[in-house]
Amino acid sequence: MVQKAKILLVDDRPENLLALEAILSALDQTLVRASSGEEALKALLTDDFAVILLDVQMPGMDGFETAAHIKRRERTRDIPIIFLTAINHGPHHTFRGYAAGAVDYISKPFDPWVLRAKVSVFVELYMKNCQLREQAALLRLQLEGGQKNTLDDKEPAGLLAELSARLAAVEEQAEALSKQLDDESADAAAVATAAHLERKLTGLRRALDALEPGADGSAPLPPPS
């Protein structure tokens, strides 16, 4: 089972954090507060997040500087960042947000429905990636010795069949997500992330197919006695 995704909310004003929690609570994910850039970086040291909602104007380390630190860390550089701002709506300020690594830049006051929809896309992509890592881990067990699955106590052939079935389910969900993004003319960053996920799935499917009995021209493995 994939656990709930964590969403990091960064704002120095408690009332803004409360408003974000009210908007995003319907997604039924884990919402983590940070009241400063420094506190956000500390949270990112230990936890994995699906997306970060980052206020631009904060005392001390502002949103741009915080994002720069996030993008410099190998562990966190790929986490999507959505900037939230109530100031300087000019194109130069917006460009600075994208240059800092943001996937989106939203001015306050924003439409709660739009924000929730944008966040939900990145949460869903994160969950699909988690499922993909689970399939890869199971495949690695098969590759590293063909031993029984310690969780399900299955023979290698049975494990291979289960891997294929689980991967097929993820492939189906990824395809549906891609179609949804196309239909809704979603952000380019979300579409690119979905395409990257599909490429990973394709590679995993090819590796799994190569393990099928007779895939290399050899005779199928005999059934277990």
Side-chain angles (χ1 to χ4, degrees):
M1 291 290 294
V2 178
Q3 295 182 349
K4 291 184 179 181
K6 291 184 178 180
I7 303 170
L8 183 58
L9 314 176
V10 189
D11 198 305
D12 63 298
R13 300 175 68 88
E15 61 271 26
N16 290 343
L17 291 171
L18 188 62
L20 287 173
E21 289 175 339
I23 293 170
L24 300 176
S25 61
L27 298 179
D28 193 28
Q29 305 299 326
T30 302
L31 306 177
V32 179
R33 284 188 175 202
S35 58
S36 66
E38 293 85 354
E39 191 174 331
L41 294 176
K42 184 177 180 181
L44 288 162
L45 287 174
T46 55
D47 290 325
D48 294 324
F49 291 91
V51 61
I52 302 169
L53 274 63
L54 181 57
D55 184 42
V56 171
Q57 188 70 12
M58 295 186 294
M61 184 184 297
D62 66 11
F64 296 131
E65 186 179 355
T66 303
H69 282 289
I70 293 171
K71 293 302 177 182
R72 280 198 293 265
R73 293 179 179 176
E74 184 176 356
R75 174 188 173 95
T76 58
R77 65 179 56 166
D78 294 326
I79 302 176
I81 298 174
I82 298 176
F83 272 134
L84 305 176
T85 181
I87 61 169
N88 296 330
H89 298 167
H92 175 73
H93 204 258
T94 302
F95 173 78
R96 187 182 175 192
Y98 288 116
V103 298
D104 210 338
Y105 193 95
I106 302 177
S107 298
K108 302 174 184 176
F110 45 78
D111 186 329
W113 292 93
V114 171
L115 179 64
R116 185 160 54 239
K118 288 177 179 290
V119 171
S120 69
V121 169
F122 291 108
V123 167
E124 192 165 356
L125 288 170
Y126 173 83
M127 303 292 268
K128 296 295 183 295
N129 272 298
C130 287
Q131 292 178 18
L132 180 58
R133 284 195 295 269
E134 288 182 357
Q135 313 312 317
L138 288 172
L139 178 58
R140 207 154 35 237
L141 287 176
Q142 176 73 18
L143 291 171
E144 289 176 353
Q147 298 178 353
K148 291 183 179 181
N149 185 330
T150 56
L151 294 177
D152 300 323
D153 196 31
K154 296 182 182 295
E155 294 294 338
L159 174 59
L160 196 59
E162 181 176 339
L163 277 169
S164 182
R166 292 188 184 185
L167 181 57
V170 178
E171 288 170 332
E172 182 179 351
Q173 293 171 1
E175 181 180 358
L177 177 60
S178 295
K179 290 180 179 178
Q180 178 185 348
L181 291 174
D182 290 339
D183 293 341
E184 296 177 356
S185 300
D187 298 333
V191 174
T193 303
H196 179 65
L197 174 62
E198 287 194 332
R199 287 194 296 271
K200 284 186 175 181
L201 287 169
T202 300
L204 187 55
R205 170 59 68 186
R206 287 174 179 170
L208 195 58
D209 289 345
L211 292 175
E212 291 287 350
D216 59 353
S218 59
L221 295 173
S225 57

